[in-house]
């Protein structure tokens, strides 16, 4: 082993302490690795994708991932606040607090509804699962009121379509 050079002395010291060498593995490393009898992959060969001038073949519009592009419910807070109290506004910090609260409640309701669907041996979350999840998560009258308002708004949406 040679002396470490001043420019990469830390890397050499670390590699010596860890037992890493860039040339060949040691005998103990080879014994730990065991035989390299890997089984071949069962899947067949993949077909090569054919590209057209646009770069994709057979696809129409590209689906967007809503998870990363969705940022805030801020516009909805302002709309509702304007309906309830016309002269009031929300600060940025209050919008951030409301946003984190709404996203957290949405995740909790979705998780609970997923658990309920799994318990009933279904893969699809139904309306009844979401209603039950809301009643379980929101206490007392608040849960009942939330479910009744949701039913009312869904009915209003369906009649306007």
């Amino acid at each position: 082993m040679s002396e470490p050079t001043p420019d990469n002395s830390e890397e050499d010291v670390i590699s010596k302490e860890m037992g890493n060498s860039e040339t060949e593995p040691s005998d103990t490393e080879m014994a730990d690795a065991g035989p390299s009898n890997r089984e071949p992959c069962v899947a067949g060969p993949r077909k090569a994708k054919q590209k057209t001038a646009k770069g994709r073949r057979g696809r129409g519009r590209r689906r967007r991932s809503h998870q990363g592009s969705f940022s805030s419910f801020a516009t909805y807070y302002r709309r509702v606040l304007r309906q309830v109290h016309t002269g009031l506004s929300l600060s940025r910090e209050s919008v951030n607090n409301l946003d984190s609260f709404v996203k957290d409640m949405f995740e909790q309701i979705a998780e609970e509804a997923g658990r309920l669907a799994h318990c009933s041996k279904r893969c699809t979350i139904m309306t009844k699962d979401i209603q039950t999840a809301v009643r379980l998560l929101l206490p007392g009258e608040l849960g009942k009121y939330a479910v009744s308002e949701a039913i009312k708004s869904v009915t209003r949406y369906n009649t306007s379509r």
Side-chain angles (χ1 to χ4, degrees):
M1 288 191 197
S2 63
E3 286 291 314
T5 58
D7 55 30
N8 61 356
S9 62
E10 289 181 15
E11 294 174 5
D12 290 339
V13 171
I14 291 173
S15 65
K16 287 178 185 175
E17 289 175 1
M18 300 293 284
N20 297 342
S21 64
E22 295 178 11
T23 56
E24 294 180 357
S26 66
D27 293 332
T28 57
E29 290 176 5
M30 290 298 286
D32 290 342
S36 61
N37 297 343
R38 291 189 179 176
E39 294 180 16
C41 183
V42 179
R46 293 184 180 179
K47 294 181 181 177
K49 294 181 181 177
Q50 296 177 356
K51 293 187 177 182
T52 60
K54 289 186 176 182
R56 283 190 301 274
R57 185 182 76 114
R59 292 185 183 173
R61 293 174 54 185
R62 190 173 173 196
R63 286 189 177 184
R64 286 189 213 163
S65 171
H66 292 289
Q67 190 176 20
S69 65
F70 187 76
S71 60
S72 178
F73 290 102
T75 56
Y76 306 108
Y77 303 144
R78 290 190 174 89
R79 288 182 198 173
V80 171
L81 187 63
R82 199 177 329 136
Q83 290 174 358
V84 179
H85 295 286
T86 53
L88 297 180
S89 63
L90 294 171
S91 67
R92 185 174 292 156
E93 186 177 347
S94 63
V95 168
N96 289 339
N97 289 338
L98 274 171
D99 206 35
S100 64
F101 173 74
V102 169
K103 286 180 181 179
D104 183 50
M105 284 303 299
F106 178 78
E107 288 176 7
Q108 287 181 10
I109 290 170
E111 285 177 14
E112 187 65 33
R115 273 190 231 115
L116 290 167
H118 182 72
C119 289
S120 4
K121 297 178 182 174
R122 285 183 281 115
C123 296
T124 307
I125 296 175
M126 307 295 279
T127 311
K128 187 177 179 182
D129 297 328
I130 294 175
Q131 287 181 2
T132 309
V134 167
R135 284 197 179 117
L136 286 171
L137 290 172
L138 297 177
E141 290 293 320
L142 187 60
K144 292 177 185 175
Y145 182 72
V147 169
S148 68
E149 286 295 317
I151 290 171
K152 194 164 57 171
S153 65
V154 168
T155 306
R156 189 179 317 134
Y157 172 77
N158 287 333
T159 56
S160 68
R161 276 198 317 168

